Amino acid sequence: MVQGLHPIEGEWYEDLERGRTFQVLEVNREEETVSIQYEDGDLDEIGYEDWYELDLENAEPPEDWTEVYDDIEKDDLGYTET
C-alpha cells in the first residue's frame, strides 16, 4: 500500500477503502481540486485535503473502461468535418 500519492492527470488509481478504480482527469492547482472519473463513468471532484486522506494505490486502466463512452455519437464530440 502506498500512501500520499500525488494526483497525476491521466493516471489510474484504486481507492482501496471503497474498492473503486478511477482516472484523474484534471488537477486544478488554483482551486486545489482533483477531477476524477470512475470506471463506471461517474464524475467527482475531490479537494486536495480529501485526496491525501484517501487510501490509494496506482492501478492499471480497466480492460473495459471505454465502455462508458459507447453511447457517444460523433456529433456529440463537438467536432465538425472540414
Side-chain angles (χ1 to χ4, degrees), residues 18-74:
R18 293 177 184 85
R20 293 187 81 184
T21 302
F22 63 87
Q23 181 182 35
V24 172
L25 300 178
E26 179 184 18
V27 178
N28 187 323
R29 287 174 175 68
E30 288 179 20
E31 294 183 23
E32 296 186 349
T33 58
V34 181
S35 297
I36 65 172
Q37 183 170 23
Y38 294 99
E39 64 183 308
D40 63 5
D42 288 347
L43 298 171
D44 200 1
E45 186 174 87
I46 302 171
Y48 276 9
E49 268 187 47
D50 292 332
W51 172 271
Y52 287 106
E53 290 179 9
L54 294 174
D55 188 10
L56 298 176
E57 186 172 271
N58 289 99
E60 292 294 319
E63 287 184 31
D64 60 351
W65 73 273
T66 57
E67 210 172 81
V68 298
Y69 300 110
D70 286 347
D71 294 339
I72 297 176
E73 299 291 329
K74 278 187 176 180

Side-chain angles (χ1 to χ4, degrees), residues 4-17:
L5 290 175
H6 297 293
I8 299 172
E9 291 178 12
E11 292 294 316
W12 285 86
Y13 301 88
E14 182 178 354
D15 181 342
L16 299 175
E17 186 175 312

